[in-house]
Structures are given as structure tokens and as C-alpha cells.
Amino acid sequence: MTWICQDCGTSSPRNNSACRECGGFNYAKIDTDSATAGYDGSDVPDEPTSDSNRKRDYYIGVVLGVVGVLVFPYFFFLVALPEALFQLGGRSLQDVLGGDARDNPFLSGSLLIMRWFGNFLILTFILGFLLGLLFIFG
């Protein structure tokens, strides 16, 4: 069974995630197996998630990211610093991860918070370094 994005024409093995090309959720089922030709689709995989569900999941990811940074900052700096440095190059850790991780709204929301935390850490380090120089040479 193959699913085709109606917005851009990209094929996908399932219809319950965003299209990897355009991000759309408008899929149509294409029968590629002659044994299933004429099948009525009664056990079709999960329906695509709606945009409101993806937004809700994104915000849940943001809240989980905030909780993680507040409770375990000494652990999450290991994610926050690389994410902030990747963002300087216009990329994200999510781009490096494969498969469903690229389309996961929970991960997108959490990485946003990690990026902000990483930017805060970098800024704190730079300001501390400058204040140290000012103290030594000032």
C-alpha cells in the first residue's frame, strides 16, 4: 500500500505523518498490490493528524522541554549547546535524526526550548569571559 501526498505528489509508506517534502497531510491511497485491488479500505492505517493536534503536540513538547530544563539543567545542557550551535549554521539536531524524528512535533517543541537554553548558556559564557577580562585588565 502506498500513499501519495495530494499537495506535492511525494509517495509515503503511510498516511499518519506529515509529508517529508511539503509538510502536508493530504494523502490518497494508491493500490500497488494487485491482490488488494478493489479493497474497500476498512482497515486503513491511522488517519493523518490534524493541524490542531500537531500544534497541541508541539506545545506539549515545549512544556516538556521547559520542565526538563528546569528540573535537569545539568543534563540537558548536553543537548542545548549542540542545538544552539547547529542553529548558528541554520540547521537543527532534528535534521540530523532520521525517520519519524524529523516530523515529530513533540521533539520540535522540546528542541526549541533546548535551543533557547543553549543560547542562554553561550551568552552567559561570553559575558562571564568579558567580565573576567574587564576585572583582570580593568
Side-chain angles (χ1 to χ4, degrees), residues 59-128:
Y59 292 125
I60 289 172
V62 167
V63 169
L64 291 174
V66 169
V67 169
V69 166
L70 291 176
V71 175
F72 301 109
Y74 53 89
F75 173 75
F76 282 110
F77 85 92
L78 295 172
V79 176
L81 287 176
E83 175 63 16
L85 294 173
F86 264 78
Q87 193 62 35
L88 290 174
R91 297 188 60 194
S92 173
L93 289 175
Q94 197 169 8
D95 298 334
V96 178
L97 301 173
D100 291 336
R102 290 187 189 128
D103 300 326
N104 190 326
F106 293 108
L107 186 59
S108 297
S110 294
L111 284 177
L112 172 70
I113 299 305
M114 296 300 148
R115 187 177 316 125
W116 288 353
F117 182 52
N119 289 338
F120 169 76
L121 292 174
I122 291 170
L123 181 63
T124 303
F125 175 76
I126 291 171
L127 289 176

Side-chain angles (χ1 to χ4, degrees), residues 6-28:
Q6 296 297 297
D7 298 326
C8 69
T10 303
S11 65
S12 176
R14 57 198 163 98
N15 75 335
N16 61 348
S17 64
C19 175
R20 61 181 166 255
E21 289 298 318
C22 69
F25 291 99
N26 187 14
Y27 286 102

